[in-house]
Amino acid sequence: MSLQEVFQEISAADFFYRNRDIAGFTNPTRAIYSTIRELVENSLDAAEIREIPPDIYLRVSHESGPTDGPGIYRIHIEDNGIGIPHEIIPSAFGQVLFGSKYKLRQTRGTFGLGGKMAILYGQVTTHGQATIMSSTGPTKVHEYQLTIDIQKNKPVILKHKTHPNDNRWHGAVIDFLTEADYTRAMPKVLEYLQQTAIVAPYANITYVDPRGRLYRFERATTQMPKPPQETLPHPYGVDVETMKRLIELTKERTMLGFMKTHFHRVGRTIATGFLQQVGLPPKKNPKKLAPDEIVRVVNAMKSYKFLAPDANCLSPLGEELLEAGIKKELSPEFVSVYQRKPSAYSGFPFIVEVGIAYGGEIEPKGGIRLYRFANKIPLLFDEASDVSWKAVNTQMDWRHYKASPDMPIAVFVHICSTKVPYKTVGKEFIADRPDVEREVLNAVREVARRLSLFLSKKIHLAHDKHRLDVFQKYLPKIAGFSAKLAKKEKPPDVAPLLKSVLRYEKIEESEDDQDEDAE
Amino acid sequence: MKKSKKVKTTKTKTPSRVEQKKSVVLSALRSLGEQLYSQLSKKQWPSVRMPSRSITNIHYDQHTRQYILGERFVRRSARNIRHIRPLTQLVWTGSFVDELAREGKTSTLRDVFYSAQAYEMSFTDQAESDDIITDLETVLEHPREDFNVFPEERSAIFGDLTIQYTVRGYEGRKLNLASHPDGMMIGPALTNAEFAECKADKIIAIEKGGLFTRFIEERVHDKYKALLIHTAGQAPRATRALIRRMSQELGLPVYIFCDADPWGMHIANVIIAGSANAAHLRELNTPDAKWAGVYASDIVDYKLPSDPLTDLDIKRLYELQKDPRYDTKLWKREIEAFLRLKRKSEQEAFSRYGLAFIVDKYLPARLKELG
C-alpha cells in the first residue's frame, strides 16, 4: 500500500464485514492465515516500493481460550518499510478505503483492504483495539490506539502519543488481538512463510509462533527487483465504469487528447484511427459523451487493433532472484529458472516466470510439487483448479523429459500482471485463460527440457560410476586368482585397464550374449 | 570269458590312470590361469573362449553316439560388464578346485556355493554356482568329478571287484566291493580308485534300491558273475563315469534294468547315450551298454500287474520318439508298444510270481536274448 496515492472512501466497513468471505475471513482457521498473509504482504510492499530489503518480524502469541480450537491470539508485526505519514494513520487502518487505481501497476494488494480487514476482524471477534506505531523517518514516531466504528466507517482514536526517533527509523508496527484457530492453520502459515521466502529472497522474515518457536528465513541477497512503473490502462482492459471515472477526472477537452493522455500506448495516429472507426469527431469533448456513446467506445476498444501493452509496469522477480529463493529454501541438487517474454491477455500485460528444482530437500511425494505465485504472493489453496496445475499435471508428459512423478521434482510458476486473472474473488487460483495457459506451458516445457538434460547426465554419471565399481570389484580378483592358478608371485597390474573403463560406451554390452545354457 | 581278470596295476614308476587324469586337470587349470595372467600383463582385457552350450549348439553325434557341442563359441570377457562377474567366478572356482586337487580333498556343489562367500564372491544362488562349475567343465573339458567336485547324490555298487585306493590316507589299500551286503557307496574315494582285481564278467545296473538288495540276497553276483550297481534313479555322473571305466578298463558288458515306463527307459538311455546337459563332456556314457528291461512287451509277455500311463507319461513318450538317442530298433519298438498298451509296470511287479522269479526266470532269459 503506497501513500502517494489518492484514497477515496468507498462503502461502509460493515459491507466488508458482512461479506468477509470475500476477503478470506470465513472461519477462525482461515482468518488467522489471511491476517498473517495480509500483514506480511503490506509490509513487503512497503519496503519494496523504495527498494529497501525488507526486515519483517512477526509474532503470534496465545492470549486466552483453547489452543485446540478457536482462541484469542495477539498478532504483532514490525517492518522497515517506508512508514505511514502520521496524519493518515487513523484512516489508513481505521477506515475501509478504496485505493485510487486509475493508474495501474503491479503490487501484491490491489484494494488496500486486507490489512484493515484483519484489524476489523480482530476487533469484531475480541472487542479489542489496535495499536499502530509508525514513522516515515523524521524525528518522531507516532503511536495510535484505535478502533473502527463499523457503522460510520470511521476510526475512533483512543490514544495518540509520540516518541522520539533518534535512529531515524522508518517502518510500521501493528499489534492487535484476534480470534484464531492457530493449531489448525499452522501448516498453511508455515508453508506460506516459506514460500514467501522463496519468492522474496531479499527479505529477512522472523517468525515467533505461539509456542515460542523461532522460524527465521534469512535473505540470500540484497538485490531487489526493479520496482514497477505506473502505467495507464490499456484500451483492451477498460470497462464502462472505468471509462466514466476517467471522463469525470480528465482535463482534456477533446476526444483525441483524452485518448492520448489516458490510455496505454495510444498516440495521435492510433487515436485518430480509432475515433474514425467509432465514428466520433476527434474534437468532441469527452465530458459530453452520451451514455450510449460511452458504451460504444468501450465495446469498440475491445476489437480495435491497438499496440500490445508493454511490460514496464510489471515487476517480475527475475531469473536470478527466483533461483536464489529456490536455492536458499530447498537446497536442491539442480535448479533452473526461466522468464518468458511479456505477453498480454485482454489488454493486461503479464509475465510468466518458472523454475524447476530436483533433489536436495525436496522429498518425493508421488507427484510433482507445485509452487504457485501471483505477483509474488504464494497461492496455497485450490491448487487443482489452477492453470499451472493443469499445465504441470495434465498437459505435460514428463516421460518425454526422462522425469516421473515419483522423483523429487518441484515446479515454480510465478505469474505477474497488473491484473492477475484470478478465477474467483478468493484470489487463490488462476484461471486457464488461453494466453496465460500457453505461456505457462511453454515456460514449464523449457525448464523441463533443462531438467531432462540434467537427469540424463546424472543417469550417465551413475551408469559410469556403476561400471567403474563393477570393474574395480572384479578385475583385481581376476588378477589375483589367475596369478594363483598360474603359480605367479604377484598379480598383474590392473590399473591401466581400470583407467580405460570410463571411456567405454555401451558397445561392449551387446556383444557375445548368446551363451544361454540349455537342457 | 576269463574267470578272473587281473588288472595291471602300477606300483611306483609309471603313473596310474587316475594320477594321469589328475595331472591333466591340474595342467589345464594352470594354463587357464596363465592365459588370463598373460592377457592382463599385456594390458589386454582377460577373456576365456569356450564352446557355446546354447541349445542350438547341441547336436547328436552318430560317431560317438552322444550329444556334443557344435562349432559355435562364446567369449567371456572382463571388458563386458555383464561377463566380468561370471568370469571372476570362473577363475575363483578354478583356483578353489586347484587347491582341492592339490590337497587331495573333495567338495560338493553346495560346498563351492558357500566357500565363495569367504572371498566376497558370493553367488546369488546355488544355480549360479552350479552354472559356473559347468563353465569350468566346458573350459577344462573335464567333468567336475575330475577336479574333485561331487554332487550330493550317491549310488552304490556290489560285487567281486577289488579296488585299490588312491585317496590321501588310504593310498595302496585294497577293498573287495562284495565286503558289505548293502553295497559300497560310489563316492569320491571309489571313483578315484584303481581296479586291482575283478572276478565278475558283467555289470548289471538297477534303478531301484529294493531290487538291488534283492539281487544281492538272491546272490545274482555269484550266479551270474555280475557287478551290481544301484543307480538310485537317474545315475549320477560319477556313477556313469564309473560304469564306462569298468566297461572299458575291465571289458565288461553292461545291462541296465529299470521300471517299465518312459522315465525308467530314460535312466537306461542316459547311461548309454549321455545327456544334453553334459554335451560339453566326453567319457561319461557307455555306448555299448544294453537296456535289459523292463520292456513294454514284458508287461504283456509276463502278464505283469500294471497301471495306466498318465498324460505326462504319454507326452514324454512322444518327446522320446523325436529324440535321436532313441533312434534304434529296440527303443522304437518299445516306445510304440507303450503307446499301444498305455500301461506301465514297476520292476517289483515280478514279485507276483514269487520273490525269486525275477532272478531265476526273467533275468537269464533276458541275458540270453541280449547275448
Side-chain angles (χ1 to χ4, degrees):
Chain A
M1 186 180 47
S2 136
L3 298 153
Q4 283 79 15
E5 294 172 37
V6 183
F7 285 93
Q8 275 191 350
E9 183 177 321
I10 47 159
S11 52
D14 64 340
F15 171 81
F16 287 98
Y17 169 63
R18 284 175 202 153
N19 295 284
R20 56 188 179 273
D21 291 9
I22 293 173
F25 290 81
T26 321
N27 56 53
T29 308
R30 202 56 198 270
I32 181 66
Y33 169 75
S34 295
T35 297
I36 289 171
R37 177 180 146 167
E38 297 293 352
L39 294 175
V40 169
E41 275 155 20
N42 282 348
S43 291
L44 287 170
D45 276 344
E48 280 172 28
I49 198 113
R50 248 185 247 155
E51 295 183 62
I52 304 162
D55 267 303
I56 296 171
Y57 172 78
L58 170 70
R59 193 179 66 224
V60 175
S61 40
H62 181 243
E63 201 74 14
S64 62
T67 51
D68 55 351
I72 307 299
Y73 289 83
R74 177 173 295 282
I75 313 293
H76 180 93
I77 187 164
E78 298 176 16
D79 68 51
N80 63 339
I82 55 173
I84 305 144
H86 77 92
E87 63 279 6
I88 66 163
I89 289 176
S91 315
F93 289 95
Q95 192 172 13
V96 177
L97 297 169
F98 179 67
S100 163
K101 299 265 175 170
Y102 294 124
K103 299 201 166 183
L104 293 178
R105 80 172 159 214
Q106 172 202 331
T107 51
R108 289 185 174 83
T110 320
F111 304 115
L113 180 68
K116 277 152 292 218
M117 200 58 217
I119 290 171
L120 182 62
Y121 184 85
Q123 177 184 323
V124 169
T125 52
T126 67
H127 294 290
Q129 69 251 12
T131 304
I132 290 106
M133 220 188 323
S134 183
S135 175
T136 52
T139 52
K140 280 180 183 159
V141 175
H142 292 262
E143 180 180 332
Y144 285 89
Q145 275 182 26
L146 47 86
T147 58
I148 302 169
D149 182 330
I150 295 174
Q151 270 147 12
K152 292 190 184 142
N153 191 23
K154 284 272 186 317
V156 180
I157 300 165
L158 303 175
K159 211 182 266 178
H160 174 210
K161 52 184 176 180
T162 57
H163 307 278
N165 188 12
D166 297 339
N167 299 328
R168 297 291 160 126
W169 171 74
H170 55 85
V173 179
I174 303 169
D175 191 292
F176 61 98
L177 294 177
T178 194
E179 187 192 50
D181 187 345
Y182 181 79
T183 311
R184 287 175 70 182
M186 182 169 75
K188 286 287 187 201
V189 169
L190 295 178
E191 206 181 323
Y192 166 76
L193 290 174
Q194 193 199 21
Q195 294 200 17
T196 300
I198 290 174
V199 83
Y202 42 80
N204 271 341
I205 302 171
T206 308
Y207 172 51
V208 179
D209 85 348
R211 290 172 66 181
R213 288 177 294 205
L214 175 76
Y215 297 86
R216 186 141 168 85
F217 302 92
E218 298 260 4
R219 71 168 60 93
T221 172
T222 52
Q223 194 199 321
M224 304 276 293
K226 173 184 71 72
Q229 290 171 4
E230 292 186 350
T231 186
L232 299 168
H234 190 280
Y236 287 153
V238 170
D239 58 17
V240 175
E241 182 57 29
T242 313
M243 190 60 130
K244 278 185 181 166
R245 288 181 192 218
L246 286 170
I247 289 167
E248 204 167 301
L249 228 112
T250 190
K251 296 189 175 84
E252 294 293 332
R253 300 289 177 94
T254 66
M255 275 308 287
L256 187 66
F258 176 76
M259 290 296 296
K260 277 167 61 189
T261 309
H262 294 283
F263 295 96
H264 182 54
R265 301 201 74 183
V266 175
R268 166 172 282 275
T269 320
I270 290 176
T272 312
F274 173 71
L275 290 172
Q276 201 178 335
Q277 168 120 357
V278 198
L280 286 175
K283 295 226 166 127
K284 185 168 173 93
N285 186 338
K287 302 217 188 247
K288 299 218 165 123
L289 282 177
D292 65 311
E293 282 175 321
I294 294 176
V295 174
R296 214 168 82 217
V297 168
V298 170
N299 287 341
M301 277 178 168
K302 308 266 184 244
S303 54
Y304 191 78
K305 250 181 111 73
F306 291 102
L307 292 175
D310 81 27
N312 288 336
C313 51
L314 298 178
S315 171
L317 200 52
E319 295 182 348
E320 208 177 309
L321 286 178
L322 182 57
E323 183 171 334
I326 295 169
K327 275 186 176 161
K328 99 180 169 86
E329 289 304 319
L330 298 168
S331 323
E333 202 182 316
F334 168 82
V335 61
S336 182
V337 292
Y338 175 55
Q339 187 187 68
R340 293 284 296 174
K341 290 213 164 29
S343 183
Y345 78 93
S346 316
F348 298 104
F350 72 95
I351 289 179
V352 170
E353 299 175 293
V354 300
I356 201 162
Y358 175 92
E361 286 164 26
I362 302 164
E363 309 240 325
K365 63 150 196 181
I368 289 174
R369 278 168 193 274
L370 177 61
Y371 292 83
R372 298 172 294 134
F373 305 97
N375 286 354
K376 299 176 199 158
I377 302 173
L379 305 180
L380 300 188
F381 293 94
D382 301 320
E383 182 186 68
S385 313
D386 194 278
V387 61
S388 307
W389 192 90
K390 187 176 164 195
V392 166
N393 289 288
T394 68
Q395 293 170 316
M396 287 286 292
D397 186 350
W398 288 96
R399 283 171 309 177
H400 288 169
Y401 303 90
K402 298 186 181 65
S404 80
D406 44 299
M407 287 179 173
I409 295 173
V411 170
F412 307 80
V413 180
H414 181 207
I415 297 170
C416 50
S417 176
T418 50
K419 186 170 184 288
V420 174
Y422 292 113
K423 212 185 241 170
T424 65
V425 282
K427 298 211 292 189
E428 284 298 351
F429 61 95
I430 294 173
D432 46 357
R433 298 234 179 196
D435 300 312
V436 179
E437 188 178 306
R438 184 198 63 232
E439 286 297 303
V440 169
L441 189 58
N442 284 339
V444 172
R445 280 186 177 142
E446 174 59 28
V447 289
R449 264 191 292 279
R450 298 179 193 170
L451 174 69
S452 125
L453 288 177
F454 165 79
L455 288 175
S456 21
K457 204 171 147 196
K458 188 179 161 77
I459 291 164
H460 194 74
L461 284 175
H463 180 75
D464 266 9
K465 187 179 178 312
H466 169 70
R467 287 175 66 84
L468 189 62
D469 284 351
V470 169
F471 286 110
Q472 259 168 352
K473 179 175 178 194
Y474 291 109
L475 209 53
K477 287 181 195 281
I478 293 180
F481 294 131
S482 66
K484 208 172 140 200
L485 263 183
K487 314 293 166 220
K488 305 283 186 191
E489 297 266 306
K490 227 175 76 192
D493 183 18
V494 295
L497 284 176
L498 283 178
K499 240 185 190 170
S500 68
V501 163
L502 294 183
R503 274 181 251 136
Y504 281 103
E505 290 302 324
K506 290 195 151 190
I507 322 161
E508 295 300 332
E509 285 185 32
S510 50
E511 153 186 315
D512 290 342
D513 244 358
Q514 81 285 44
D515 58 336
E516 291 297 304
D517 293 334
E519 289 289 308
Chain B
M1 225 173 262
K2 282 175 276 178
K3 278 235 151 155
S4 162
K5 185 179 256 180
K6 195 95 174 164
V7 183
K8 204 170 125 197
T9 52
T10 46
K11 296 284 178 237
T12 40
K13 294 282 156 53
T14 47
S16 72
R17 276 172 171 275
V18 171
E19 279 166 345
Q20 276 172 4
K21 198 159 67 185
K22 186 174 159 181
S23 85
V24 169
V25 170
L26 285 177
S27 76
L29 281 168
R30 182 167 182 158
S31 59
L32 170 65
E34 276 165 351
Q35 179 196 336
L36 298 170
Y37 185 91
S38 103
Q39 286 166 333
L40 278 166
S41 305
K42 285 185 256 169
K43 311 204 185 322
Q44 290 169 354
W45 287 95
S47 68
V48 169
R49 190 171 178 268
M50 62 177 123
S52 166
R53 296 199 308 279
S54 154
I55 191 142
T56 53
N57 198 39
I58 295 179
H59 310 287
Y60 186 72
D61 179 51
Q62 293 297 346
H63 181 66
T64 50
R65 287 182 283 170
Q66 73 159 96
Y67 276 116
I68 58 161
L69 297 181
E71 299 297 307
R72 277 219 334 270
F73 279 78
V74 292
R75 182 175 290 281
R76 284 274 160 83
S77 170
R79 190 202 279 185
N80 183 328
I81 195 156
R82 288 160 68 168
H83 287 180
I84 188 166
R85 179 178 147 98
L87 181 65
T88 311
Q89 289 168 332
L90 182 76
V91 194
W92 172 80
T93 311
S95 98
F96 178 77
V97 301
D98 184 53
E99 221 165 285
L100 279 183
R102 276 168 210 291
E103 290 172 8
K105 287 182 182 164
T106 63
S107 181
T108 62
L109 289 171
R110 195 97 190 120
D111 260 344
V112 174
F113 173 65
Y114 283 119
S115 304
Q117 297 182 2
Y119 295 86
E120 290 173 53
M121 286 294 317
S122 23
F123 294 102
T124 316
D125 49 27
Q126 172 97 47
E128 190 185 26
S129 85
D130 290 359
D131 211 41
I132 295 296
I133 300 273
T134 311
D135 277 352
L136 192 60
E137 289 182 328
T138 314
V139 171
L140 300 180
E141 296 174 324
H142 278 274
R144 56 176 181 257
E145 290 79 7
D146 288 357
F147 46 81
N148 292 10
V149 177
F150 287 84
E152 284 298 333
E153 315 83 53
R154 299 287 156 91
S155 53
I157 183 167
F158 182 90
D160 196 353
L161 169 66
T162 304
I163 55 146
Q164 186 169 19
Y165 290 108
T166 62
V167 290
R168 190 155 297 185
Y170 290 81
E171 295 95 335
R173 275 166 68 174
K174 290 185 179 177
L175 179 77
N176 185 279
L177 296 183
S179 316
H180 186 71
D182 284 344
M184 313 300 287
M185 186 164 76
I186 304 175
L190 209 150
T191 308
N192 286 321
E194 301 287 355
F195 304 137
E197 189 177 3
C198 178
K199 288 186 180 147
D201 63 9
K202 64 178 72 62
I203 298 165
I204 298 176
I206 301 140
E207 176 185 351
K208 294 261 181 69
L211 205 63
F212 174 70
T213 307
R214 166 88 42 78
F215 273 33
I216 295 169
E217 285 165 2
E218 296 295 333
R219 309 204 59 79
V220 172
H221 52 284
D222 272 351
K223 289 179 189 162
Y224 301 95
K225 292 199 186 326
L227 291 174
L228 305 177
I229 288 179
H230 171 214
T231 66
Q234 193 62 258
R237 290 192 341 192
T239 306
R240 276 145 60 193
L242 184 71
I243 293 171
R244 180 187 173 102
R245 259 187 78 199
M246 293 193 298
S247 150
Q248 295 200 334
E249 290 179 32
L250 304 173
L252 305 181
V254 179
Y255 302 94
I256 309 155
F257 195 43
C258 313
D259 282 345
D261 62 33
W263 317 99
M265 282 169 82
H266 200 59
I267 289 169
N269 190 279
V270 166
I271 292 172
I272 297 166
S275 67
N277 269 338
H280 58 294
L281 297 172
R282 300 287 176 276
E283 308 193 351
L284 281 180
N285 62 327
T286 311
D288 291 323
K290 290 193 166 71
W291 178 37
V294 178
Y295 299 162
S297 46
D298 293 336
I299 300 175
V300 183
D301 296 349
Y302 291 90
K303 297 188 177 59
L304 295 177
S306 62
D307 293 314
L309 290 176
T310 64
D311 290 347
L312 196 66
D313 293 333
I314 289 166
K315 185 167 163 269
R316 182 67 180 154
L317 283 164
Y318 285 122
E319 280 170 19
L320 297 185
Q321 254 182 338
K322 290 180 213 138
D323 192 317
R325 290 172 293 183
Y326 285 83
D327 196 14
T328 66
K329 220 171 118 191
L330 175 65
W331 293 118
K332 284 183 155 177
R333 185 190 81 198
E334 292 303 322
I335 290 172
E336 275 161 26
F338 273 122
L339 287 171
R340 204 168 46 243
L341 267 176
K342 294 205 165 31
R343 314 270 320 161
K344 59 182 177 184
S345 279
E346 291 187 286
Q347 295 174 310
E348 293 89 333
F350 285 103
S351 302
R352 75 170 292 188
Y353 302 113
L355 293 179
F357 180 86
I358 186 166
V359 172
D360 294 342
K361 302 281 191 255
Y362 175 78
L363 198 58
R366 178 53 39 85
L367 290 179
K368 194 177 165 199
E369 179 188 326
L370 290 171

